Amino acid sequence: MSCGLVRLRCERRFGALAGEIPFWPQPDHRLFDVPPHLAAPIAAWFRLRGWEVIEEPN
C-alpha cells in the first residue's frame, strides 16, 4: 500500500436480520486503498447500506 492512503475494510453479512433469507452463503468483503479526502464519504456510503467499515490509516 502506498503511503498517505487509507485502507477501508468493508464487510457485509447477509441474513443478519431476523427472518431474512441469506442470498450469499459467505460474508461479502471489500478492500479499498483511497486518499484521505475520499475515505470518509466512501465509508459513510457503505455504512448507510448496512456494511461494517474499518478505517486503517497507513
Short mmCIF file of all heavy atoms in Angstrom, two decimals:
data_model
loop_
_atom_site.label_atom_id
_atom_site.label_comp_id
_atom_site.label_asym_id
_atom_site.label_seq_id
_atom_site.Cartn_x
_atom_site.Cartn_y
_atom_site.Cartn_z
N MET A 1 0.85 -1.17 0.00
CA MET A 1 0.00 0.00 0.00
C MET A 1 0.89 1.23 0.00
O MET A 1 1.91 1.27 0.66
CB MET A 1 -0.91 -0.04 1.23
CG MET A 1 -1.82 1.12 1.32
SD MET A 1 -3.16 0.93 2.51
CE MET A 1 -2.32 0.62 4.01
N SER A 2 0.51 2.24 -0.73
CA SER A 2 1.28 3.47 -0.80
C SER A 2 1.07 4.31 0.45
O SER A 2 0.03 4.27 1.08
CB SER A 2 0.85 4.29 -2.03
OG SER A 2 1.09 3.55 -3.19
N CYS A 3 2.08 5.10 0.77
CA CYS A 3 1.98 5.98 1.93
C CYS A 3 0.94 7.06 1.70
O CYS A 3 0.77 7.54 0.58
CB CYS A 3 3.34 6.63 2.20
SG CYS A 3 4.55 5.46 2.80
N GLY A 4 0.27 7.44 2.75
CA GLY A 4 -0.71 8.50 2.66
C GLY A 4 -2.12 8.04 2.32
O GLY A 4 -3.04 8.83 2.34
N LEU A 5 -2.29 6.77 1.98
CA LEU A 5 -3.62 6.27 1.67
C LEU A 5 -4.27 5.68 2.92
O LEU A 5 -3.59 5.30 3.87
CB LEU A 5 -3.55 5.21 0.58
CG LEU A 5 -3.05 5.67 -0.78
CD1 LEU A 5 -3.02 4.48 -1.74
CD2 LEU A 5 -3.90 6.78 -1.33
N VAL A 6 -5.57 5.60 2.89
CA VAL A 6 -6.34 4.99 3.98
C VAL A 6 -6.94 3.70 3.44
O VAL A 6 -7.52 3.67 2.36
CB VAL A 6 -7.46 5.94 4.46
CG1 VAL A 6 -8.33 5.27 5.50
CG2 VAL A 6 -6.88 7.23 4.99
N ARG A 7 -6.78 2.62 4.20
CA ARG A 7 -7.35 1.34 3.80
C ARG A 7 -8.72 1.20 4.45
O ARG A 7 -8.86 1.35 5.66
CB ARG A 7 -6.45 0.20 4.22
CG ARG A 7 -7.08 -1.16 3.91
CD ARG A 7 -6.09 -2.24 3.93
NE ARG A 7 -5.35 -2.16 2.68
CZ ARG A 7 -4.31 -2.93 2.39
NH1 ARG A 7 -3.88 -3.82 3.23
NH2 ARG A 7 -3.71 -2.80 1.23
N LEU A 8 -9.72 0.92 3.64
CA LEU A 8 -11.08 0.67 4.13
C LEU A 8 -11.38 -0.82 3.99
O LEU A 8 -11.31 -1.36 2.88
CB LEU A 8 -12.11 1.48 3.34
CG LEU A 8 -12.00 2.99 3.40
CD1 LEU A 8 -13.04 3.62 2.49
CD2 LEU A 8 -12.15 3.51 4.80
N ARG A 9 -11.69 -1.46 5.10
CA ARG A 9 -12.12 -2.86 5.07
C ARG A 9 -13.63 -2.87 5.30
O ARG A 9 -14.10 -2.46 6.34
CB ARG A 9 -11.43 -3.65 6.17
CG ARG A 9 -9.96 -3.78 6.00
CD ARG A 9 -9.36 -4.63 7.12
NE ARG A 9 -7.93 -4.70 6.99
CZ ARG A 9 -7.30 -5.61 6.25
NH1 ARG A 9 -8.01 -6.51 5.60
NH2 ARG A 9 -6.00 -5.61 6.16
N CYS A 10 -14.35 -3.34 4.32
CA CYS A 10 -15.81 -3.33 4.36
C CYS A 10 -16.30 -4.78 4.36
O CYS A 10 -15.83 -5.60 3.59
CB CYS A 10 -16.38 -2.59 3.17
SG CYS A 10 -15.75 -0.92 2.97
N GLU A 11 -17.27 -5.07 5.22
CA GLU A 11 -17.83 -6.41 5.30
C GLU A 11 -19.34 -6.31 5.48
O GLU A 11 -19.83 -5.49 6.25
CB GLU A 11 -17.23 -7.17 6.47
CG GLU A 11 -17.79 -8.56 6.60
CD GLU A 11 -17.18 -9.31 7.76
OE1 GLU A 11 -15.94 -9.29 7.92
OE2 GLU A 11 -17.95 -9.90 8.53
N ARG A 12 -20.03 -7.14 4.76
CA ARG A 12 -21.49 -7.21 4.90
C ARG A 12 -21.87 -8.66 5.08
O ARG A 12 -21.51 -9.51 4.29
CB ARG A 12 -22.19 -6.64 3.68
CG ARG A 12 -23.69 -6.67 3.84
CD ARG A 12 -24.37 -5.93 2.74
NE ARG A 12 -25.80 -5.96 2.98
CZ ARG A 12 -26.70 -5.74 2.06
NH1 ARG A 12 -26.34 -5.45 0.84
NH2 ARG A 12 -27.97 -5.80 2.35
N ARG A 13 -22.61 -8.91 6.12
CA ARG A 13 -23.09 -10.26 6.38
C ARG A 13 -24.54 -10.35 5.94
O ARG A 13 -25.39 -9.61 6.43
CB ARG A 13 -22.96 -10.60 7.85
CG ARG A 13 -21.54 -10.63 8.31
CD ARG A 13 -21.46 -11.17 9.73
NE ARG A 13 -20.09 -11.19 10.16
CZ ARG A 13 -19.24 -12.19 9.90
NH1 ARG A 13 -19.64 -13.22 9.22
NH2 ARG A 13 -18.00 -12.15 10.34
N PHE A 14 -24.80 -11.22 5.03
CA PHE A 14 -26.17 -11.39 4.53
C PHE A 14 -26.93 -12.29 5.48
O PHE A 14 -26.39 -13.20 6.07
CB PHE A 14 -26.14 -12.00 3.13
CG PHE A 14 -25.57 -11.07 2.11
CD1 PHE A 14 -24.21 -11.05 1.84
CD2 PHE A 14 -26.38 -10.16 1.47
CE1 PHE A 14 -23.68 -10.18 0.92
CE2 PHE A 14 -25.85 -9.27 0.56
CZ PHE A 14 -24.50 -9.29 0.27
N GLY A 15 -28.21 -12.00 5.64
CA GLY A 15 -29.05 -12.80 6.52
C GLY A 15 -28.92 -12.41 7.97
O GLY A 15 -29.33 -13.16 8.84
N ALA A 16 -28.34 -11.25 8.25
CA ALA A 16 -28.14 -10.83 9.63
C ALA A 16 -29.44 -10.41 10.30
O ALA A 16 -29.58 -10.51 11.50
CB ALA A 16 -27.14 -9.69 9.69
N LEU A 17 -30.41 -9.95 9.53
CA LEU A 17 -31.68 -9.52 10.10
C LEU A 17 -32.59 -10.71 10.33
O LEU A 17 -32.55 -11.69 9.60
CB LEU A 17 -32.37 -8.52 9.16
CG LEU A 17 -31.58 -7.25 8.86
CD1 LEU A 17 -32.33 -6.41 7.84
CD2 LEU A 17 -31.36 -6.45 10.13
N ALA A 18 -33.42 -10.63 11.35
CA ALA A 18 -34.33 -11.73 11.68
C ALA A 18 -35.29 -11.99 10.53
O ALA A 18 -35.90 -11.07 10.00
CB ALA A 18 -35.09 -11.41 12.96
N GLY A 19 -35.39 -13.23 10.13
CA GLY A 19 -36.32 -13.60 9.09
C GLY A 19 -35.81 -13.38 7.68
O GLY A 19 -36.48 -13.74 6.72
N GLU A 20 -34.63 -12.81 7.52
CA GLU A 20 -34.08 -12.56 6.19
C GLU A 20 -33.42 -13.84 5.67
O GLU A 20 -32.68 -14.51 6.38
CB GLU A 20 -33.06 -11.42 6.26
CG GLU A 20 -32.52 -11.01 4.90
CD GLU A 20 -31.57 -9.85 5.03
OE1 GLU A 20 -32.04 -8.74 5.31
OE2 GLU A 20 -30.36 -10.05 4.88
N ILE A 21 -33.71 -14.19 4.44
CA ILE A 21 -33.11 -15.38 3.84
C ILE A 21 -31.76 -14.98 3.25
O ILE A 21 -31.68 -14.06 2.44
CB ILE A 21 -34.02 -15.95 2.73
CG1 ILE A 21 -35.35 -16.38 3.34
CG2 ILE A 21 -33.33 -17.11 2.02
CD1 ILE A 21 -36.38 -16.79 2.32
N PRO A 22 -30.68 -15.65 3.65
CA PRO A 22 -29.36 -15.28 3.13
C PRO A 22 -29.28 -15.48 1.63
O PRO A 22 -29.62 -16.54 1.11
CB PRO A 22 -28.40 -16.21 3.85
CG PRO A 22 -29.17 -16.87 4.93
CD PRO A 22 -30.62 -16.73 4.61
N PHE A 23 -28.84 -14.46 0.93
CA PHE A 23 -28.66 -14.55 -0.52
C PHE A 23 -27.28 -15.09 -0.84
O PHE A 23 -27.09 -15.81 -1.79
CB PHE A 23 -28.85 -13.16 -1.14
CG PHE A 23 -28.61 -13.11 -2.62
CD1 PHE A 23 -29.51 -13.68 -3.50
CD2 PHE A 23 -27.46 -12.53 -3.12
CE1 PHE A 23 -29.28 -13.65 -4.86
CE2 PHE A 23 -27.23 -12.49 -4.47
CZ PHE A 23 -28.14 -13.04 -5.35
N TRP A 24 -26.30 -14.71 -0.04
CA TRP A 24 -24.91 -15.09 -0.23
C TRP A 24 -24.52 -16.04 0.89
O TRP A 24 -24.74 -15.74 2.06
CB TRP A 24 -24.05 -13.84 -0.10
CG TRP A 24 -23.02 -13.67 -1.14
CD1 TRP A 24 -21.73 -14.11 -1.08
CD2 TRP A 24 -23.13 -12.98 -2.37
NE1 TRP A 24 -21.06 -13.73 -2.19
CE2 TRP A 24 -21.90 -13.04 -3.00
CE3 TRP A 24 -24.16 -12.32 -3.00
CZ2 TRP A 24 -21.65 -12.46 -4.24
CZ3 TRP A 24 -23.94 -11.75 -4.22
CH2 TRP A 24 -22.70 -11.82 -4.83
N PRO A 25 -23.91 -17.19 0.60
CA PRO A 25 -23.57 -18.11 1.68
C PRO A 25 -22.45 -17.60 2.59
O PRO A 25 -22.37 -17.97 3.73
CB PRO A 25 -23.13 -19.36 0.95
CG PRO A 25 -22.78 -18.93 -0.41
CD PRO A 25 -23.58 -17.70 -0.71
N GLN A 26 -21.57 -16.75 2.08
CA GLN A 26 -20.45 -16.23 2.84
C GLN A 26 -20.58 -14.71 2.96
O GLN A 26 -21.23 -14.08 2.15
CB GLN A 26 -19.13 -16.55 2.13
CG GLN A 26 -18.86 -18.04 2.00
CD GLN A 26 -18.61 -18.69 3.34
OE1 GLN A 26 -18.01 -18.09 4.22
NE2 GLN A 26 -19.07 -19.90 3.50
N PRO A 27 -19.91 -14.12 3.96
CA PRO A 27 -19.90 -12.65 4.05
C PRO A 27 -19.23 -12.05 2.81
O PRO A 27 -18.36 -12.68 2.21
CB PRO A 27 -19.09 -12.35 5.30
CG PRO A 27 -18.85 -13.63 5.99
CD PRO A 27 -19.15 -14.73 5.04
N ASP A 28 -19.63 -10.87 2.45
CA ASP A 28 -19.05 -10.15 1.32
C ASP A 28 -18.00 -9.19 1.86
O ASP A 28 -18.29 -8.40 2.75
CB ASP A 28 -20.15 -9.38 0.59
CG ASP A 28 -19.69 -8.81 -0.73
OD1 ASP A 28 -18.53 -9.02 -1.10
OD2 ASP A 28 -20.51 -8.16 -1.40
N HIS A 29 -16.78 -9.28 1.37
CA HIS A 29 -15.68 -8.44 1.84
C HIS A 29 -15.20 -7.54 0.70
O HIS A 29 -15.08 -7.99 -0.43
CB HIS A 29 -14.48 -9.29 2.29
CG HIS A 29 -14.80 -10.19 3.43
ND1 HIS A 29 -14.80 -9.77 4.73
CD2 HIS A 29 -15.13 -11.51 3.46
CE1 HIS A 29 -15.11 -10.78 5.51
NE2 HIS A 29 -15.33 -11.85 4.76
N ARG A 30 -14.93 -6.30 1.01
CA ARG A 30 -14.35 -5.36 0.05
C ARG A 30 -13.18 -4.66 0.72
O ARG A 30 -13.21 -4.37 1.91
CB ARG A 30 -15.37 -4.30 -0.38
CG ARG A 30 -16.70 -4.83 -0.85
CD ARG A 30 -16.66 -5.31 -2.28
NE ARG A 30 -17.86 -6.04 -2.61
CZ ARG A 30 -18.88 -5.54 -3.30
NH1 ARG A 30 -18.86 -4.29 -3.70
NH2 ARG A 30 -19.92 -6.28 -3.57
N LEU A 31 -12.13 -4.38 -0.03
CA LEU A 31 -10.95 -3.71 0.48
C LEU A 31 -10.58 -2.59 -0.49
O LEU A 31 -10.44 -2.83 -1.69
CB LEU A 31 -9.81 -4.72 0.59
CG LEU A 31 -8.51 -4.25 1.21
CD1 LEU A 31 -8.73 -3.89 2.67
CD2 LEU A 31 -7.46 -5.34 1.10
N PHE A 32 -10.44 -1.37 0.04
CA PHE A 32 -10.12 -0.20 -0.78
C PHE A 32 -8.95 0.55 -0.16
O PHE A 32 -8.90 0.74 1.05
CB PHE A 32 -11.31 0.77 -0.85
CG PHE A 32 -12.57 0.17 -1.36
CD1 PHE A 32 -13.54 -0.27 -0.49
CD2 PHE A 32 -12.80 0.06 -2.72
CE1 PHE A 32 -14.72 -0.82 -0.95
CE2 PHE A 32 -13.98 -0.50 -3.19
CZ PHE A 32 -14.94 -0.94 -2.31
N ASP A 33 -8.03 1.01 -0.99
CA ASP A 33 -6.98 1.94 -0.57
C ASP A 33 -7.29 3.26 -1.26
O ASP A 33 -7.22 3.36 -2.49
CB ASP A 33 -5.59 1.44 -0.99
CG ASP A 33 -5.20 0.18 -0.24
OD1 ASP A 33 -5.62 0.04 0.92
OD2 ASP A 33 -4.46 -0.64 -0.79
N VAL A 34 -7.67 4.26 -0.46
CA VAL A 34 -8.14 5.53 -1.02
C VAL A 34 -7.41 6.70 -0.38
O VAL A 34 -6.90 6.60 0.73
CB VAL A 34 -9.67 5.70 -0.81
CG1 VAL A 34 -10.44 4.61 -1.54
CG2 VAL A 34 -10.02 5.68 0.65
N PRO A 35 -7.36 7.86 -1.08
CA PRO A 35 -6.79 9.06 -0.47
C PRO A 35 -7.62 9.49 0.73
O PRO A 35 -8.83 9.23 0.79
CB PRO A 35 -6.87 10.11 -1.58
CG PRO A 35 -7.16 9.38 -2.84
CD PRO A 35 -7.77 8.07 -2.46
N PRO A 36 -7.00 10.14 1.71
CA PRO A 36 -7.72 10.52 2.94
C PRO A 36 -8.98 11.35 2.71
O PRO A 36 -9.96 11.18 3.42
CB PRO A 36 -6.68 11.32 3.72
CG PRO A 36 -5.37 10.87 3.21
CD PRO A 36 -5.59 10.49 1.78
N HIS A 37 -8.99 12.23 1.70
CA HIS A 37 -10.17 13.08 1.49
C HIS A 37 -11.36 12.29 0.94
O HIS A 37 -12.49 12.77 0.99
CB HIS A 37 -9.83 14.27 0.57
CG HIS A 37 -9.57 13.89 -0.85
ND1 HIS A 37 -8.35 13.39 -1.28
CD2 HIS A 37 -10.37 13.94 -1.93
CE1 HIS A 37 -8.42 13.15 -2.57
NE2 HIS A 37 -9.63 13.47 -2.99
N LEU A 38 -11.14 11.09 0.43
CA LEU A 38 -12.24 10.26 -0.07
C LEU A 38 -12.67 9.17 0.92
O LEU A 38 -13.71 8.54 0.74
CB LEU A 38 -11.85 9.60 -1.39
CG LEU A 38 -11.66 10.53 -2.58
CD1 LEU A 38 -11.20 9.73 -3.79
CD2 LEU A 38 -12.94 11.27 -2.88
N ALA A 39 -11.88 8.94 1.95
CA ALA A 39 -12.16 7.84 2.88
C ALA A 39 -13.49 8.03 3.61
O ALA A 39 -14.29 7.10 3.70
CB ALA A 39 -11.02 7.69 3.89
N ALA A 40 -13.74 9.22 4.13
CA ALA A 40 -14.97 9.46 4.90
C ALA A 40 -16.23 9.32 4.04
O ALA A 40 -17.18 8.64 4.46
CB ALA A 40 -14.92 10.82 5.58
N PRO A 41 -16.30 9.92 2.83
CA PRO A 41 -17.51 9.74 2.03
C PRO A 41 -17.75 8.29 1.60
O PRO A 41 -18.89 7.82 1.60
CB PRO A 41 -17.29 10.63 0.80
CG PRO A 41 -16.17 11.54 1.14
CD PRO A 41 -15.39 10.89 2.22
N ILE A 42 -16.69 7.58 1.26
CA ILE A 42 -16.85 6.18 0.84
C ILE A 42 -17.30 5.33 2.03
O ILE A 42 -18.22 4.51 1.90
CB ILE A 42 -15.55 5.64 0.23
CG1 ILE A 42 -15.28 6.34 -1.11
CG2 ILE A 42 -15.62 4.13 0.04
CD1 ILE A 42 -13.92 6.04 -1.70
N ALA A 43 -16.69 5.54 3.20
CA ALA A 43 -17.09 4.79 4.39
C ALA A 43 -18.54 5.09 4.77
O ALA A 43 -19.30 4.18 5.11
CB ALA A 43 -16.15 5.13 5.55
N ALA A 44 -18.94 6.35 4.68
CA ALA A 44 -20.32 6.72 5.00
C ALA A 44 -21.30 6.05 4.05
O ALA A 44 -22.37 5.58 4.47
CB ALA A 44 -20.48 8.24 4.95
N TRP A 45 -20.96 5.99 2.77
CA TRP A 45 -21.84 5.37 1.77
C TRP A 45 -22.05 3.90 2.11
O TRP A 45 -23.18 3.40 2.07
CB TRP A 45 -21.22 5.52 0.38
CG TRP A 45 -22.11 5.11 -0.72
CD1 TRP A 45 -23.01 5.89 -1.38
CD2 TRP A 45 -22.21 3.81 -1.32
NE1 TRP A 45 -23.65 5.15 -2.35
CE2 TRP A 45 -23.18 3.88 -2.34
CE3 TRP A 45 -21.56 2.61 -1.10
CZ2 TRP A 45 -23.52 2.78 -3.12
CZ3 TRP A 45 -21.90 1.51 -1.88
CH2 TRP A 45 -22.87 1.61 -2.87
N PHE A 46 -20.97 3.19 2.45
CA PHE A 46 -21.09 1.77 2.79
C PHE A 46 -21.86 1.58 4.10
O PHE A 46 -22.67 0.67 4.22
CB PHE A 46 -19.71 1.11 2.87
CG PHE A 46 -19.21 0.64 1.52
CD1 PHE A 46 -18.41 1.44 0.74
CD2 PHE A 46 -19.56 -0.61 1.04
CE1 PHE A 46 -17.96 1.01 -0.49
CE2 PHE A 46 -19.12 -1.05 -0.19
CZ PHE A 46 -18.32 -0.23 -0.96
N ARG A 47 -21.59 2.42 5.10
CA ARG A 47 -22.29 2.28 6.39
C ARG A 47 -23.80 2.50 6.24
O ARG A 47 -24.59 1.84 6.90
CB ARG A 47 -21.71 3.26 7.40
CG ARG A 47 -20.36 2.82 7.91
CD ARG A 47 -19.82 3.74 8.97
NE ARG A 47 -18.51 3.28 9.43
CZ ARG A 47 -17.39 3.99 9.33
NH1 ARG A 47 -17.42 5.23 8.86
NH2 ARG A 47 -16.25 3.48 9.74
N LEU A 48 -24.20 3.43 5.39
CA LEU A 48 -25.63 3.67 5.16
C LEU A 48 -26.32 2.46 4.55
O LEU A 48 -27.52 2.30 4.69
CB LEU A 48 -25.83 4.88 4.24
CG LEU A 48 -25.67 6.24 4.89
CD1 LEU A 48 -25.72 7.34 3.83
CD2 LEU A 48 -26.74 6.47 5.93
N ARG A 49 -25.57 1.62 3.89
CA ARG A 49 -26.12 0.44 3.24
C ARG A 49 -25.94 -0.83 4.06
O ARG A 49 -26.09 -1.93 3.56
CB ARG A 49 -25.51 0.30 1.86
CG ARG A 49 -26.15 1.27 0.90
CD ARG A 49 -25.23 1.75 -0.18
NE ARG A 49 -25.90 2.78 -0.97
CZ ARG A 49 -25.96 4.06 -0.65
NH1 ARG A 49 -25.42 4.48 0.46
NH2 ARG A 49 -26.57 4.92 -1.42
N GLY A 50 -25.56 -0.66 5.35
CA GLY A 50 -25.51 -1.80 6.26
C GLY A 50 -24.18 -2.52 6.35
O GLY A 50 -24.12 -3.62 6.89
N TRP A 51 -23.13 -1.95 5.82
CA TRP A 51 -21.82 -2.57 5.88
C TRP A 51 -21.08 -2.15 7.15
O TRP A 51 -21.28 -1.06 7.65
CB TRP A 51 -20.96 -2.14 4.68
CG TRP A 51 -21.44 -2.65 3.36
CD1 TRP A 51 -22.58 -2.28 2.72
CD2 TRP A 51 -20.79 -3.58 2.52
NE1 TRP A 51 -22.66 -2.93 1.52
CE2 TRP A 51 -21.57 -3.74 1.37
CE3 TRP A 51 -19.60 -4.29 2.62
CZ2 TRP A 51 -21.21 -4.59 0.34
CZ3 TRP A 51 -19.25 -5.14 1.58
CH2 TRP A 51 -20.05 -5.29 0.46
N GLU A 52 -20.21 -3.03 7.65
CA GLU A 52 -19.28 -2.66 8.71
C GLU A 52 -18.03 -2.16 8.01
O GLU A 52 -17.52 -2.81 7.10
CB GLU A 52 -18.93 -3.89 9.55
CG GLU A 52 -20.04 -4.36 10.45
CD GLU A 52 -19.58 -5.51 11.31
OE1 GLU A 52 -18.43 -5.49 11.79
OE2 GLU A 52 -20.38 -6.42 11.49
N VAL A 53 -17.51 -1.00 8.45
CA VAL A 53 -16.33 -0.41 7.82
C VAL A 53 -15.28 -0.14 8.87
O VAL A 53 -15.56 0.46 9.90
CB VAL A 53 -16.69 0.91 7.09
CG1 VAL A 53 -15.46 1.51 6.44
CG2 VAL A 53 -17.77 0.68 6.05
N ILE A 54 -14.06 -0.59 8.60
CA ILE A 54 -12.91 -0.31 9.46
C ILE A 54 -11.93 0.51 8.66
O ILE A 54 -11.53 0.11 7.55
CB ILE A 54 -12.25 -1.61 9.94
CG1 ILE A 54 -13.24 -2.45 10.73
CG2 ILE A 54 -11.00 -1.31 10.76
CD1 ILE A 54 -12.76 -3.84 11.05
N GLU A 55 -11.55 1.67 9.18
CA GLU A 55 -10.58 2.55 8.52
C GLU A 55 -9.22 2.34 9.16
O GLU A 55 -9.08 2.42 10.37
CB GLU A 55 -11.00 4.01 8.65
CG GLU A 55 -12.34 4.30 8.00
CD GLU A 55 -12.74 5.75 8.13
OE1 GLU A 55 -11.85 6.63 8.05
OE2 GLU A 55 -13.94 6.00 8.32
N GLU A 56 -8.22 2.07 8.33
CA GLU A 56 -6.86 1.84 8.80
C GLU A 56 -5.92 2.83 8.14
O GLU A 56 -5.57 2.66 6.97
CB GLU A 56 -6.41 0.42 8.48
CG GLU A 56 -7.26 -0.66 9.06
CD GLU A 56 -6.88 -2.04 8.59
OE1 GLU A 56 -6.04 -2.16 7.69
OE2 GLU A 56 -7.43 -3.00 9.14
N PRO A 57 -5.49 3.88 8.84
CA PRO A 57 -4.52 4.81 8.23
C PRO A 57 -3.16 4.15 8.07
O PRO A 57 -2.80 3.27 8.85
CB PRO A 57 -4.46 5.97 9.21
CG PRO A 57 -4.94 5.42 10.50
CD PRO A 57 -5.85 4.27 10.18
N ASN A 58 -2.44 4.56 7.06
CA ASN A 58 -1.12 3.98 6.82
C ASN A 58 -0.05 5.02 7.08
O ASN A 58 -0.08 6.10 6.67
CB ASN A 58 -1.01 3.45 5.40
CG ASN A 58 0.32 2.76 5.17
OD1 ASN A 58 1.02 2.42 6.09
ND2 ASN A 58 0.62 2.54 3.93
#
